[in-house]
Each structure stands twice: as structure tokens, then as C-alpha cells.
Amino acid sequence: MQKAIIGKKVGMTQIFDESGKVIPVTVIEAGPCVVTQKKTAEKDGYSAVQLGYEEVKESKLSKPELGHLKKAEVAAMRHLKEFKLEKADEMNVGDVIKADAFAAGDHVDVTGISKGHGYQGVIKRHGAGRTPTSHGGGPVHRHAGSMGSCSDPSRIFKGKIGAGQMGVEQVTVQNLDVVKVDAELNMIVVRGAIPGPKGGLVYVKNTVKTIRVAKGEAGTSVNPQKASARMNPQKASARNR
């Protein structure tokens, strides 16, 4: 991981690119974050930094949390998160990370807690189908239905879909490209949607996906057995050679 930052989801909107096409984007209030702890390979066995986000009154924190931050000589922070960064050894406690750590064109992964939907049935939670609603179906059209065998194995296997709590889970959306960065407003604008409600806490970090560079347009083939290589004046590929 090269870089990371903590922020809040502001909401979604849309902007227009240079060609006039509309782009759905999500605005993230990212940082500023302070390095509150540094892990080293010699002392801890790995390299990482702990970032703190959003200053808060000292009375809002527990004594262990407050003592941890006072030892680092930083202000009281509401949120703490550790990241294993490649350049963690070059960072020191007290360093500030702002939104300009990212730039337009970067690809990021955004992690957040999804919206809660309460207790839901199998249709809304898992997309299950209903039973036929014709006469005689009974009041079980949206029920889970049969769960499998009875005497053997006399139980329900783990992972079987069923009703239960929906949402409030950690979700990561990968490979979103950064459209705009405003360091003065601590704003990062990414294309597409991210998990969580407005005001929800999110972690932004560079993507783990391999970014493939788009190749140029396909040219004419040099293979005489292919149609694109035959000198047919009616073909555009032949006229352009």
C-alpha cells in the first residue's frame, strides 16, 4: 500500500467532463490526518503507521485512548486506523497527511460500513423468489420455504440464505478513479458510489488492482491471409494504408 487517508462521505453529485459527458461522483471529505503512532520492523516486526482523524474534546475519550495520544504529543482524535504503507519508515509521529496526497487520475479502494436495512426477509436480503400467488398458495409467498433434508443430516448447513440483519457490514469498493482533488477544502471526488450513509467514515487507499494501460487503436494486419491485410479498395483499412 502506497498511500491512505481517513475521511467522511459527504454525498453524491454529478459533474461534466471536457467532452460534456455527465459523471456520477461521490465527494469525500478526506483528512487532514495525523500520524499518531509508528510501527517499525525492528521493534514490532512490521512497518506501519497509525493515523488519527477528526479532533474531539478530551472528555470524549477514555483514559487509555487519551494517554496514547498524549504520549504521541498530538491532539485528541476520534478515529484511529493503522495502515501498512510502503513508505512508513520515512514518516514520523506528528506528520500531517492531507487530501493532496492523492491526485486526479489515481485509482483507489474505498472501505466503509454499508447502510443498515434492519431485519429483512430472504427476498430483499438475498434476492430469493416468491412462491406462486395463485389460489391455495397460503400466506407464505415471501417465506424462505424448504431448507433441505429432514432426517439426514437433520440440520441446516452453514451459509444457507435466510432472514436476518441486512447491512451494517464492512464493504470495500475497488478501483475507483479519482476525478478531482481540492487540498483547500480537504475534498477528494471519486467516480461512482461508495458504501455507507452521508457522514459515514471511510478509508481511502490506493487500489490493489493491477491497472492495465489501454493500448492504441488496432492497425492493419501484415498477415496476407487476413482480410484487413488484403488490398481491397472497398475496405477502409486498405484505403488508409
Side-chain angles (χ1 to χ4, degrees):
M1 189 186 305
Q2 299 174 354
K3 47 192 175 182
I5 198 170
I6 308 174
K8 283 186 177 181
K9 177 180 177 179
V10 178
M12 292 198 68
T13 183
Q14 59 186 22
I15 60 177
F16 295 90
D17 61 6
E18 297 177 354
S19 61
K21 294 183 179 180
V22 64
I23 304 176
V25 296
T26 303
V27 180
I28 302 174
E29 181 186 350
C33 296
V34 182
V35 178
T36 57
Q37 190 179 16
K38 179 179 179 179
K39 298 291 185 71
T40 60
E42 295 79 10
K43 183 178 179 181
D44 305 286
Y46 66 98
S47 299
V49 290
Q50 184 188 75
L51 302 183
Y53 172 68
E54 191 179 3
E55 291 190 16
V56 69
K57 293 181 180 180
E58 293 184 359
S59 59
K60 298 290 185 180
L61 301 180
S62 64
K63 287 186 177 181
E65 291 173 333
L66 192 58
H68 170 69
L69 296 173
K70 284 187 175 181
K71 181 180 179 180
E73 297 181 353
V74 298
M77 296 289 173
R78 185 186 298 273
H79 305 288
L80 301 176
K81 177 68 174 178
E82 185 178 288
F83 298 95
K84 291 184 178 180
L85 303 180
E86 294 178 359
K87 298 183 179 180
D89 294 333
E90 303 176 6
M91 305 175 68
N92 297 312
V93 175
D95 291 351
V96 179
I97 299 177
K98 298 183 178 180
D100 55 4
F102 295 87
D106 290 348
H107 294 261
V108 296
D109 295 343
V110 182
T111 302
I113 303 299
S114 61
K115 290 182 179 180
H117 296 269
Y119 189 93
Q120 298 298 334
V122 291
I123 292 180
K124 182 172 182 178
R125 192 184 185 203
H126 298 288
R130 299 187 307 170
T131 60
T133 55
S134 59
H135 178 71
V140 293
H141 301 299
R142 297 177 66 91
H143 288 199
S146 176
M147 288 290 182
S149 305
C150 50
S151 60
D152 185 22
S154 298
R155 64 186 178 89
I156 298 176
F157 291 109
K158 290 183 179 181
K160 177 66 177 177
I161 65 173
Q165 169 67 39
M166 182 178 178
V168 197
E169 296 177 340
Q170 180 172 292
V171 180
T172 300
V173 179
Q174 295 182 327
N175 202 16
L176 299 176
D177 58 304
V178 178
V179 179
K180 182 179 180 181
V181 175
D182 193 326
E184 295 182 359
L185 298 177
N186 298 321
M187 181 179 67
I188 296 178
V189 181
V190 298
R191 184 192 304 265
I194 65 174
K198 294 179 181 179
L201 189 72
V202 294
Y203 305 124
V204 183
K205 49 197 175 185
N206 61 295
T207 184
V208 297
K209 295 285 188 179
T210 301
I211 306 302
R212 300 185 181 277
V213 180
K215 298 181 179 179
E217 297 182 358
T220 56
S221 174
V222 295
N223 187 347
Q225 295 181 351
K226 289 189 176 181
S228 60
R230 297 169 191 158
M231 297 301 295
N232 186 350
Q234 296 181 351
K235 286 185 173 292
S237 59
R239 292 196 299 268
N240 295 333
R241 293 187 64 177

